[in-house]
Amino acid sequence: MALNADVKKPLPLRRKREDAAEGGDVPVKRESRLESRFDQPMDSGSIHEVIKFTSSPLSAKHYDVDTTEPISGGLTTLDELLSWKRSEANPFNVATVPLAPRVPPLADCPRRTLVSHDMMGGYLDDRFVQGTHAEAPYSFYHWQHIDVFNYFTHLLVTIPPTMWTNTAHKHGVVMIGTFITEWTDGAATCESFLKDEESYRAVADKLVQISHCYGFDGWLINIENSLSEVALKNTPLFLRYLTDQTHLRVPGGLVLWYDSVIDTGRLLWQNELNQNNRMFFDACDGFFTNYNWTERNLEWMSNYSGISGRQADVYIGVDVFARGTVVGGKFETNQALQVIRKHNFSVALFAPGWVYETHEDKSEFRKNQDKFWALLSDYLYVHRPSLSLPFISSFCQGFGKALYWRGQRETERSWFNLSAQEIQPLYYHTELEGGAWLQSRGCPDDAWNGGSSLLLDGLIPAAHTSPVCAKIFSLHVPLAAKTLVSVIYKPSAGISVSLELKTTDASLCTHMDIQDVQLISVTPEQLNEEQQLFKQFSQLCGSFIPSGWTVRCSQLELRGCALREVCLSIRRDGEPEDTPFSCRLGQIMLLDISSLQVPPELIQGLCIYDVVWFRGVGSSLESTSPGLILNATLRWDYPTHLVQHFRVYWRHLRGTDSRIPAGPLLLVGRAYSNLYRVTELMVPEPPGLMELVVEPVIRKDFQIPENHWGRSSLSYTEDST
């Protein structure tokens, strides 16, 4: 992008894994690297390792050289792109979440919002596929306000990290990577791949293969260098071929062009769509303008015949950093959106991570991000992800100060993994009549599952007699004839809360462009602890509830209805007086009562491979001798659409003394696909026998019997040669 210099900044230092076996941090001082000799079937239930000193065979492009953790990255040269093979792709960077349908569909949305995420060169904390222990990471969670997310760097080919694709897709947001050429090197690249049909088709084919392999949805094409006559002639042909092939291979695929080169081959940003650059717009799905436009540009485009009914495909660029002569930017970005929406164009917000990058106090990140998006809210449009039962959200934003499981702290360290982000609620601050107010925000101080809960704060004035209604979700979920509704929460004293669901006739939603359907407010019938349905549900979920949390279960009987909004009604209990309140929501779940059973599927085919050993010294004061550290990949089979995540454990079965009993299961981490890399796990000295175990955590939140879990054992001995 023209305004963004590629500032080379050092990558963040890699953290060491929190080792469950030691109950704390185990930074490892490297003495030497060891490698296993591995020769057993991939589907074996047990394997044996003879530890040998060799160099690691794992690709430095796909695995961190210090920890062997899987990492994301892009491609830097044309040769690297043309030699890319699916068989050599990074299996860990393949998105596991398909693009959710949404209401309205993107094609029917007349004014769209695109976010182009450009931050400090890219591939920061988010490059670690399985997450990282980051103290103050950047995250994004206002998904229902946007339609397209572009992951941007200045590499030739930017492949979005899988965690971004997973969470975007959960919310029905299209994810696109970036193909960019710049300066003298970029001009040489263009001359090479745009010289003839065979060459540009080869590049387009590789881009389509990459997006299809890794599970994202398309590309932003950014040619920021001059083109020769031949290269210019072939550019629209390249764009058209890439767009057609993307549509053919990638459902919901999207290819956009950035305002840069004009029809003479000259690099000349127009800040509008006009006759000079229309040839590129006509060859793809949309046009992303440069940032130095004025309202006169928008007025002119409103009457430009070249748009031909495609006004929604013109994304007006807004640089949130406000570099150069621009409208708005920073906390005045709303001024730009006001003008853009006035003329009925889509908007492309470039680098909204400004709220993180330029504010030194990262502890204020959530506050600054919520402020930024609240200022834009009058010019944004909420889309509803179209989901199915069971629906569950614990409001996790994909990062936190601790990791929670069923209301209790599981780890005490800050963490970041956007694949853990769940369907996000609406975040807002609103003033109500009579002096009442209400705020919805993510809070990391306590949670039911993950790293945060939803905290509702507000005030019910003395004169306010009706309940305060807090909208939590805007979505589209067809309901069962009988639906069980569960909410887990912590209310402040002096208030009562109840769920209020807003539904509509499901048949009215077959035409997805209908937004103003009539909503009917319903309150589910609360179940008491003596009712059989409550007992059955509690038994499936596990009856232990940590102190302070309240679980309320209700039943809803409706036929042919779809859920459109989830709200919480908050009522004062006592005498009329000004009543400040807070209510922490830990989890909301809706499921079909006819499905109240544990799924029969078992984890199958758990195998262990790509084993690498380290020698190192633990961080505890008592540990002065080198220890043995295991790194290995686990793979298994299980229907991923059934699960929230998997929990990976290990335990020591025996060592040199066979009289020592097997140890307890110790948590290693959470997996969000059928693949997990165990790293920096300190194990007993050889000879040893250990077991690795995988537990599925299903979307229904039912506890899965241990005989459904996956298990595989690993024995290891020293090399005697």
Side-chain angles (χ1 to χ4, degrees):
M1 301 265 171
L3 296 176
N4 187 60
D6 187 12
V7 180
K8 298 295 184 184
K9 297 192 177 184
L11 292 173
L13 292 177
R14 183 65 183 122
R15 88 289 182 277
K16 303 303 179 188
R17 174 175 295 282
E18 183 175 24
D19 187 2
E22 299 294 326
D25 301 341
V26 184
V28 178
K29 177 182 178 182
R30 301 291 179 231
E31 286 190 348
S32 57
R33 181 184 292 272
L34 305 118
E35 169 64 21
S36 69
R37 185 175 65 209
F38 178 71
D39 186 21
Q40 56 277 319
M42 292 280 283
D43 59 352
S44 174
S46 63
I47 67 170
H48 178 71
E49 283 283 322
V50 177
I51 302 168
K52 296 183 73 70
F53 288 89
T54 61
S55 59
S56 171
L58 299 177
S59 167
K61 283 190 62 63
H62 299 330
Y63 298 89
D64 184 87
V65 294
D66 293 323
T67 67
T68 79
E69 287 201 70
I71 56 175
S72 300
L75 308 178
T76 57
T77 68
L78 188 60
D79 287 343
E80 193 176 3
L81 171 61
L82 293 173
S83 63
W84 183 91
K85 298 176 182 177
R86 183 181 291 267
S87 61
E88 298 174 1
N90 183 352
F92 284 93
N93 202 47
V94 176
T96 57
V97 180
L99 178 61
R102 43 165 284 175
V103 181
L106 183 64
D108 295 339
C109 186
R111 291 172 295 278
R112 304 166 194 160
T113 302
L114 177 150
V115 161
S116 186
H117 174 62
D118 173 41
M119 179 175 285
M120 300 163 62
Y123 299 118
L124 304 172
D125 292 324
D126 54 4
R127 79 184 188 277
F128 296 107
V129 175
Q130 296 180 168
T132 181
H133 290 297
E135 291 296 327
Y138 173 79
S139 180
F140 180 80
Y141 45 82
H142 291 86
W143 293 102
Q144 287 168 316
H145 285 306
I146 75 168
D147 305 289
V148 182
F149 190 95
N150 163 235
Y151 194 88
F152 184 93
T153 77
H154 287 270
L155 299 180
L156 176 69
V157 179
T158 299
I159 300 169
T162 183
M163 63 173 64
W164 282 105
T165 305
N166 282 337
T167 190
H169 281 182
K170 287 177 189 176
H171 295 86
V173 172
V174 170
M175 171 62 67
I176 60 175
T178 306
F179 178 79
I180 185 173
T181 63
E182 300 176 281
W183 315 113
T184 304
D185 288 345
T189 297
C190 289
E191 292 308 305
S192 177
F193 87 88
L194 291 170
K195 63 186 178 183
D196 54 38
E197 181 178 8
E198 181 181 2
S199 298
Y200 73 67
R201 284 197 171 207
V203 166
D205 287 341
K206 289 298 183 181
L207 292 176
V208 174
Q209 290 170 24
I210 288 170
S211 60
H212 183 266
C213 173
Y214 287 122
F216 61 97
D217 307 304
W219 298 95
L220 171 67
I221 306 301
N222 188 1
I223 305 297
E224 297 217 51
N225 47 258
S226 298
L227 297 174
S228 68
E229 182 178 351
V230 171
L232 175 67
K233 176 178 70 72
N234 285 325
T235 298
L237 301 177
F238 161 68
L239 270 180
R240 172 48 59 198
Y241 180 74
L242 173 63
T243 302
D244 289 344
Q245 291 300 307
T246 297
H247 292 171
L248 183 64
R249 308 288 182 183
V250 181
L254 192 70
V255 175
L256 304 180
W257 172 264
Y258 179 68
D259 169 20
S260 51
V261 179
I262 61 173
D263 58 0
T264 64
R266 183 181 175 191
L267 177 62
L268 189 62
W269 300 276
Q270 300 291 284
N271 302 298
E272 66 180 20
L273 176 66
N274 58 34
Q275 200 61 32
N276 295 330
N277 50 34
R278 177 185 166 183
M279 60 191 292
F280 309 111
F281 175 63
D282 290 343
C284 66
D285 294 314
F287 185 88
F288 181 152
T289 78
N290 193 44
Y291 314 106
N292 303 115
W293 49 268
T294 67
E295 188 169 6
R296 291 185 63 184
N297 296 107
L298 307 190
E299 290 172 346
W300 184 88
M301 280 192 292
S302 296
N303 298 308
Y304 176 45
S305 61
I307 289 180
S308 303
R310 294 182 59 195
Q311 199 156 343
D313 296 334
V314 179
Y315 298 80
I316 308 301
V318 177
D319 178 24
V320 177
F321 276 79
R323 290 162 286 203
T325 304
V326 298
V327 177
K330 303 181 180 179
F331 282 127
E332 295 180 347
T333 299
N334 58 315
Q335 296 177 7
L337 266 71
Q338 181 182 24
V339 177
I340 293 168
R341 298 308 196 200
K342 173 183 174 183
H343 295 282
N344 294 315
F345 287 105
S346 295
V347 64
L349 294 170
F350 185 71
W354 169 85
V355 299
Y356 177 89
E357 283 194 61
T358 60
H359 293 81
E360 292 186 7
D361 187 356
K362 303 306 183 189
S363 67
E364 295 290 301
F365 163 62
R366 276 187 175 93
K367 179 180 177 182
N368 290 327
Q369 172 136 289
D370 291 347
K371 174 183 176 181
F372 176 83
W373 287 94
L375 289 167
L376 304 185
S377 61
D378 287 344
Y379 309 105
L380 301 174
Y381 308 96
V382 174
H383 75 261
R384 304 169 189 266
S386 185
L387 308 169
S388 60
L389 295 179
F391 168 78
I392 184 170
S393 180
S394 298
F395 311 103
C396 178
Q397 295 176 325
F399 67 111
K401 297 188 291 187
L403 186 62
Y404 291 81
W405 175 242
R406 296 185 181 274
Q408 294 187 309
R409 287 194 174 207
E410 191 167 75
T411 63
E412 298 288 342
R413 296 184 63 182
S414 296
W415 64 278
F416 168 75
N417 186 349
L418 284 176
S419 288
Q421 188 178 105
E422 300 187 11
I423 294 294
Q424 289 298 286
L426 300 171
Y427 297 104
Y428 54 86
H429 180 105
T430 183
E431 301 292 332
L432 306 172
E433 61 179 347
W437 62 270
L438 176 66
Q439 178 177 260
S440 162
R441 59 188 175 93
C443 179
D445 297 335
D446 196 3
W448 178 254
N449 184 32
S452 54
S453 54
L454 181 67
L455 192 61
L456 301 172
D457 295 311
L459 173 69
I460 305 175
H464 202 92
T465 57
S466 58
V468 170
C469 183
K471 184 188 293 188
I472 310 300
F473 291 109
S474 180
L475 35 69
H476 177 83
V477 181
L479 295 173
K482 293 183 179 181
T483 303
L484 183 69
V485 183
S486 167
V487 58
I488 301 174
Y489 63 100
K490 286 184 178 182
S492 60
I495 61 170
S496 298
V497 303
S498 60
L499 274 183
E500 182 179 340
L501 307 179
K502 295 186 178 181
T503 66
T504 190
D505 185 336
S507 65
L508 298 178
C509 302
T510 56
H511 302 288
M512 293 301 211
D513 58 338
I514 296 176
Q515 289 297 289
D516 298 324
V517 294
Q518 182 179 359
L519 299 183
I520 300 173
S521 181
V522 295
T523 300
E525 179 184 352
Q526 186 173 343
L527 301 174
N528 64 57
E529 296 181 4
E530 299 304 316
Q531 291 178 276
Q532 181 59 34
L533 181 58
F534 186 95
K535 291 180 179 180
Q536 181 185 4
F537 178 69
S538 297
Q539 184 178 11
L540 287 166
C541 292
S543 57
F544 173 71
I545 303 297
S547 175
W549 290 101
T550 298
V551 178
R552 175 176 292 178
C553 293
S554 306
Q555 181 177 344
L556 185 65
E557 294 192 27
L558 293 170
R559 291 189 179 276
C561 289
L563 179 65
R564 303 283 282 184
E565 293 180 1
V566 177
C567 304
L568 193 73
S569 180
I570 303 166
R571 182 186 297 273
R572 178 177 47 235
D573 286 338
E575 296 296 321
E577 61 178 343
D578 287 354
T579 307
F581 67 85
S582 69
C583 183
R584 185 181 301 277
L585 288 179
Q587 180 175 279
I588 289 177
M589 179 167 59
L590 296 93
L591 54 87
D592 185 346
I593 289 177
S594 68
S595 70
L596 289 184
Q597 61 267 336
V598 172
E601 288 82 1
L602 312 177
I603 286 184
Q604 297 181 333
L606 176 60
C607 57
I608 306 170
Y609 59 102
D610 282 345
V611 179
V612 177
W613 301 90
F614 291 147
R615 275 280 177 193
V617 178
S619 62
S620 63
L621 295 177
E622 295 80 11
S623 176
T624 57
S625 301
L628 185 61
I629 297 165
L630 170 69
N631 307 272
T633 295
L634 307 183
R635 192 189 67 197
W636 58 90
D637 294 321
Y638 194 83
T640 53
H641 70 275
L642 296 178
V643 298
Q644 300 179 51
H645 60 270
F646 299 91
R647 293 162 65 81
V648 179
Y649 306 90
W650 84 282
R651 66 172 175 170
H652 179 217
L653 293 181
R654 72 168 184 266
T656 55
D657 189 344
S658 61
R659 296 170 298 176
I660 299 176
L665 286 178
L666 299 169
L667 183 67
V668 177
R670 296 184 182 186
Y672 295 89
S673 71
N674 290 352
L675 202 62
Y676 186 77
R677 182 74 184 166
V678 175
T679 60
E680 298 186 294
L681 180 63
M682 189 170 288
V683 298
E685 290 295 319
L689 177 64
M690 61 182 292
E691 184 178 43
L692 289 156
V693 180
V694 178
E695 173 194 7
V697 178
I698 64 172
R699 290 175 59 202
K700 296 177 184 178
D701 214 25
F702 299 164
Q703 294 184 335
I704 301 297
E706 287 195 27
N707 60 5
H708 288 211
W709 301 8
R711 298 173 182 274
S712 187
S713 60
L714 169 66
S715 61
Y716 52 94
T717 55
E718 288 184 302
D719 180 27
S720 59
T721 59

